[in-house]
Amino acid sequence: MSVTPVTTPAVTATNVVLSGRGLHKSFGGNRAVNGADLDVSEGTITALIGPNGAGKSTVVNLISGLLPPDAGEVRLAGEDVSGWPSHRIAQRGLIRTFQLSRELQGLTVLENLLVTPIAQKGEALVNIFLRPRAVRREERANVERAVEILRDYGLYHVRDNWARALSGGQKRLLELARAVMAQPRILLLDEPMAGVNPALVDQIGDHILKLRTDGITVLMIEHNLGVVERICDHVIVMAEGRTLATGRMSDLRDNPEVVHAYLGGVLDARLDS
């Protein structure tokens, strides 16, 4: 399939908080990402969509530091973070979730949230001996915040259950709640609706909308185009490792490059389902 890049202006340079330019990544002889570009505006929900094998998850891995790019540049709030390890990028406020939930199975639901905040005072041995009251004060604040988040996500009643005992839908909610506990500036979500029932899809969509209200910028990989049209401000379409088109979902529905090259003419049917 031949891809002709198409651009629909939807973001401005002044509000871009996350960007990638000329990103490349190969695995052996397979070029998974081949010069992808993207911009994410602060305070928005942006969807990254495309067919299987388009390079979406690899791009998110490059942005989040899970993989280093072979070439290209990633900028976070204007700072070049290309090739930084994931923990260092997380310290800058970019947190991600994974397509498969990665709960800490040997901890309770509440404990999964309590280990999430970055740079806790109790992690430094010197603080335990020299600043014990400050450590305890922070721990109490973290418990209160975790409990509040668990209530918001409908998980308070299972707070003392082992995380491994949760249902698939509850694990998906826990993954999102744990990311929120880290107080991100930017949240990358890898298929947050995958494998959940329709009722939970609407619930997770509402949670993501609230994240935007709370000032968190969201970039999400998502195959459910109905959800994309309902909650996303901006859409980036990828194919063959490159950016094919950008814009609002309502505009992309009428973009022949997207309909034929990516969706094979079934875009309207997918959105109506």
Side-chain angles (χ1 to χ4, degrees), residues 17-18 40 46 59-66 74 76 81 85-99 102 112-113 115-119 145 149 153 174-192 211 216-221:
V17 68
L18 175 66
V40 177
T46 299
V59 163
V60 167
N61 288 339
L62 298 179
I63 292 171
S64 63
L66 191 64
V74 177
L76 174 59
V81 298
S86 56
H87 71 273
R88 190 177 174 195
I89 292 178
Q91 290 169 352
R92 291 292 195 274
L94 189 150
I95 303 296
R96 68 162 299 174
T97 66
F98 293 85
Q99 183 177 352
R102 297 191 176 187
N112 263 262
L113 267 65
V115 300
T116 300
I118 297 171
R145 175 169 166 77
I149 292 172
Y153 283 80
L174 176 59
E175 181 98 345
L176 188 55
R178 192 171 57 184
V180 172
M181 184 71 184
Q183 296 183 293
R185 178 179 182 179
I186 303 172
L187 185 55
L188 306 185
L189 305 176
D190 193 346
E191 297 193 38
L211 294 178
I216 298 173
T217 301
V218 178
L219 172 64
M220 56 184 283
I221 297 175

Side-chain angles (χ1 to χ4, degrees), residues 51-264:
N52 291 331
K56 304 182 299 297
S57 290
T58 303
V59 163
V60 167
N61 288 339
L62 298 179
I63 292 171
S64 63
L66 191 64
L67 293 172
D70 295 335
E73 180 182 81
V74 177
R75 285 193 170 271
L76 174 59
E79 185 174 18
D80 187 353
V81 298
S82 309
W84 284 22
S86 56
H87 71 273
R88 190 177 174 195
I89 292 178
Q91 290 169 352
R92 291 292 195 274
L94 189 150
I95 303 296
R96 68 162 299 174
T97 66
F98 293 85
Q99 183 177 352
L100 299 177
S101 299
R102 297 191 176 187
E103 71 282 352
L104 301 172
Q105 298 186 0
L107 299 180
T108 67
V109 171
L110 177 60
E111 289 168 343
N112 263 262
L113 267 65
L114 293 179
V115 300
T116 300
I118 297 171
Q120 297 186 56
K121 292 182 175 64
E123 295 173 355
L125 188 61
V126 65
N127 287 335
I128 295 176
F129 293 102
L130 299 183
R131 305 178 62 197
R133 281 184 290 184
V135 171
R136 289 195 295 270
R137 188 162 54 245
E138 183 184 64
E139 288 176 346
R140 286 194 296 269
N142 284 341
V143 170
E144 291 174 1
R145 175 169 166 77
V147 166
E148 179 183 356
I149 292 172
L150 291 176
R151 290 187 191 278
D152 288 343
Y153 283 80
L155 295 172
Y156 180 74
H157 67 291
V158 293
R159 64 192 180 281
D160 295 322
N161 293 11
W162 298 117
R164 63 174 174 265
L166 297 180
S167 68
Q170 288 174 327
K171 288 180 179 179
R172 184 64 69 185
L173 288 170
L174 176 59
E175 181 98 345
L176 188 55
R178 192 171 57 184
V180 172
M181 184 71 184
Q183 296 183 293
R185 178 179 182 179
I186 303 172
L187 185 55
L188 306 185
L189 305 176
D190 193 346
E191 297 193 38
M193 311 298 177
V196 300
N197 64 59
L200 189 55
V201 166
D202 290 339
Q203 184 180 343
I204 292 175
D206 290 340
H207 283 305
I208 295 173
L209 285 170
K210 186 177 184 300
L211 294 178
R212 182 182 60 188
T213 301
D214 293 340
I216 298 173
T217 301
V218 178
L219 172 64
M220 56 184 283
I221 297 175
E222 186 51 55
H223 287 292
N224 187 325
L225 299 184
V227 170
V228 170
E229 188 164 50
R230 182 170 80 89
I231 72 173
C232 293
D233 306 294
H234 185 67
V235 179
I236 301 167
V237 184
M238 286 190 64
E240 296 183 348
R242 293 188 287 155
T243 305
L244 171 62
T246 66
R248 296 184 63 86
M249 195 70 239
S250 57
D251 299 325
L252 295 173
R253 293 181 67 161
D254 300 322
N255 185 320
E257 296 280 352
V258 176
V259 173
H260 294 291
Y262 161 45
L263 294 169

Side-chain angles (χ1 to χ4, degrees), residues 36-56:
D37 298 322
L38 73 157
D39 289 313
V40 177
S41 296
E42 188 164 22
T44 64
I45 303 172
T46 299
L48 184 59
I49 69 174
N52 291 331
K56 304 182 299 297

